[in-house]
Amino acid sequence: MSPVSDDFGIDDLPVRDELRGKSPYGAPQLDVPVRLNTNENPYPLPDELVERIAERVREAARDLNRYPDRDAVELRTQLAKYLTDTTGYPLDLANVWAANGSNEIIQQLLQTFGGPGRTAIGFEPSYSMHPIIARGTGTGWIDGPRNADFTIDRDDAVRAIAEHRPDVVFVTTPNNPTGNAVPRETVLALYEAAQAAKPSMVVLDEAYVEFSHDESLVGLLEGRPNLVVSRTMSKAFGAAGLRLGYLAAHPAVVDAVQLVRLPYHLSSVAQATALAALEHTDTLLKYVEQLKSERDRLVDELLAIGFEVTASDANFVQFGRFADTRAVWQQILDRGVLVRDNGVPGWLRVSAGTPAENDAFLDAVRDVQKESESA
Ligand SMILES: *Cc1c(COP(=O)(O)O)cnc(C)c1O
């Protein structure tokens, strides 16, 4: 048999039933001049940080014959310090766990608290990886309610939790792909509902919180051992290529996820790189204010052009509405700008880029708009 055979495909393999007919996560990685589709920070790392990373990685390289620190003690200590410094809520090593991107954090949480015979709920449209990771871990997925304006109706959501009694509740705030933050009172109500129903774990996905008009909800961890806040260095820190995510929670949660983590999951090189980056949080986060004001400018200009826009607390903006979303996505792409079609009918999402990239995007959508008006 030829190893490259045209008539043998995925369906011929004995893959798990729940994976059949499904598509992998797939934001297009296209080579176009302006890429505003995956919410990355558009600014490359500053030279001084690149140097510091090279230094720390060189040190780590000498010890690559050994396994890394399995418990990433130094890294978790620095992440805890960063959280304490930026939120004012005291956290230490015992409260923090790190992994390869917050996607791995979410996977470890579902391996620990979800799994076969258990369920997780999210309020969709929300982060597409939550249901995909649920499927991969054999966790049943419940599509929770969200209003037409993409806010979460507190009573509807509480009712859904009481009815389905999920084992894990995902709340993404600010939400992706819509951009809006979830009010603190809603999060509290969902936590109470989840405790009354089961009790179950509530995961606050704060991937974009550094861009929010509101503060982080890390302080809610006080007295709530079933709450987990998940964070990432992929967005505000401008280090998506590093693959470093982390969580803050009660120390018992950190103990629990260690039951499922692969030994030595975080490479020495990744730990060294992240530690170098954490020495430079001020430099890394200096672009956050600029990205926030560019985000606000995108909102204003999109509204001025005549689009509808969802209020955004993130580094991206959801805009619409379009009768043929896919066609508009393609028309914008034809003008050299890649935005994201998240499959929310009528809406597209654009990440805040550099001022020049945002101008190119705005020119492109104005042009598309003009063309559709004259058609
Ligand atoms: C981008 C994103 C993440 C980050 O994933 P990483 O694996 O850390 O890169 C997590 N949650 C949400 C909602 C996101 O949009």
Side-chain angles (χ1 to χ4, degrees):
M1 191 184 81
S2 156
V4 197
S5 157
D6 281 343
D7 54 8
F8 188 89
I10 191 168
D11 290 336
D12 301 309
L13 292 167
V15 296
R16 287 159 47 196
D17 287 342
E18 61 268 39
L19 300 180
R20 287 195 182 277
K22 296 298 195 298
S23 311
Y25 174 87
Q29 291 193 306
L30 303 178
D31 191 12
V32 296
V34 180
R35 285 183 295 174
L36 299 174
N37 72 326
T38 50
N39 302 340
E40 293 146 320
N41 186 321
Y43 296 100
L45 301 188
D47 288 343
E48 74 215 77
L49 174 53
V50 171
E51 283 312 310
R52 185 62 186 132
I53 290 172
E55 243 172 66
R56 287 201 77 138
V57 169
R58 196 178 306 117
E59 280 167 34
R62 232 173 266 130
D63 294 327
L64 280 180
N65 57 314
R66 301 287 178 193
Y67 282 113
D69 175 5
R70 202 170 43 211
D71 298 327
V73 167
E74 189 185 359
L75 177 58
R76 285 161 58 210
T77 304
Q78 291 308 315
L79 288 166
K81 182 173 179 307
Y82 165 72
L83 283 176
T84 301
D85 289 349
T86 50
T87 67
Y89 182 70
L91 290 166
D92 67 21
L93 169 67
N95 300 105
V96 173
W97 182 243
N100 294 283
S102 52
N103 281 316
E104 190 180 28
I105 290 287
I106 292 161
Q107 183 177 55
Q108 291 179 345
L109 288 168
L110 284 173
Q111 287 173 326
T112 308
F113 301 107
R118 292 187 164 210
T119 59
I121 191 172
F123 301 93
E124 298 193 274
S126 190
Y127 187 42
S128 63
M129 283 309 299
H130 294 156
I132 291 177
I133 299 171
R135 190 194 300 139
T137 58
T139 312
W141 181 256
I142 298 156
D143 184 356
R146 196 179 276 269
N147 294 326
D149 67 0
F150 303 113
T151 56
I152 292 179
D153 183 276
R154 186 167 52 183
D155 296 340
D156 285 353
V158 162
R159 219 172 293 126
I161 291 172
E163 179 190 338
H164 296 288
R165 303 180 62 238
D167 298 279
V168 179
V169 178
F170 283 103
V171 184
T172 310
T173 181
N175 189 44
N176 177 15
T178 60
N180 52 317
V182 182
R184 180 191 172 89
E185 302 72 54
T186 304
V187 172
L188 283 171
L190 299 186
Y191 185 84
E192 292 312 318
Q195 301 323 299
K198 199 94 190 193
S200 43
M201 299 302 292
V202 176
V203 180
L204 287 186
D205 188 334
E206 285 199 335
Y208 299 98
V209 78
E210 285 94 342
F211 300 105
S212 182
H213 298 98
D214 299 336
E215 287 182 350
S216 163
L217 296 178
V218 158
L220 295 185
L221 291 174
E222 183 66 43
R224 293 185 185 81
N226 290 357
L227 187 66
V228 183
V229 178
S230 128
R231 293 283 200 98
T232 178
M233 292 179 76
S234 295
K235 310 289 161 55
F237 274 88
L242 165 60
R243 309 305 303 127
L244 203 294
Y246 54 105
L247 66 75
H250 189 281
V253 174
V254 175
D255 290 344
V257 293
Q258 303 206 19
L259 299 172
V260 302
R261 64 99 193 268
L262 295 176
Y264 317 110
H265 67 298
L266 257 188
S267 83
S268 315
V269 173
Q271 293 188 41
T273 308
L275 279 164
L278 286 164
E279 288 174 17
H280 287 261
T281 48
D282 293 351
T283 338
L284 282 175
L285 294 168
K286 81 175 177 203
Y287 294 117
V288 166
E289 287 309 315
Q290 177 168 350
L291 288 167
K292 285 167 78 172
S293 69
E294 281 295 302
R295 178 261 329 270
D296 292 340
R297 179 170 79 94
L298 282 173
V299 169
D300 292 345
E301 302 224 14
L302 285 165
L303 287 170
I305 297 170
F307 290 111
E308 288 181 49
V309 170
T310 312
S312 176
D313 277 288
N315 65 336
F316 55 83
V317 178
Q318 181 178 254
F319 64 105
R321 295 193 311 186
F322 308 108
D324 188 344
T325 314
R326 199 68 196 170
V328 177
W329 177 84
Q330 184 64 52
Q331 287 161 354
I332 298 172
L333 182 59
D334 292 344
R335 288 159 179 80
V337 182
L338 180 59
V339 298
R340 186 76 183 275
D341 178 359
N342 289 89
V344 183
W347 298 86
L348 291 169
R349 188 192 74 189
V350 61
S351 312
T354 63
E357 289 172 329
N358 299 332
D359 286 342
F361 159 74
L362 288 164
D363 286 347
V365 286
R366 274 191 207 101
D367 202 45
V368 169
Q369 182 82 336
K370 212 174 297 157
E371 201 175 86
S372 80
E373 281 164 6
S374 62

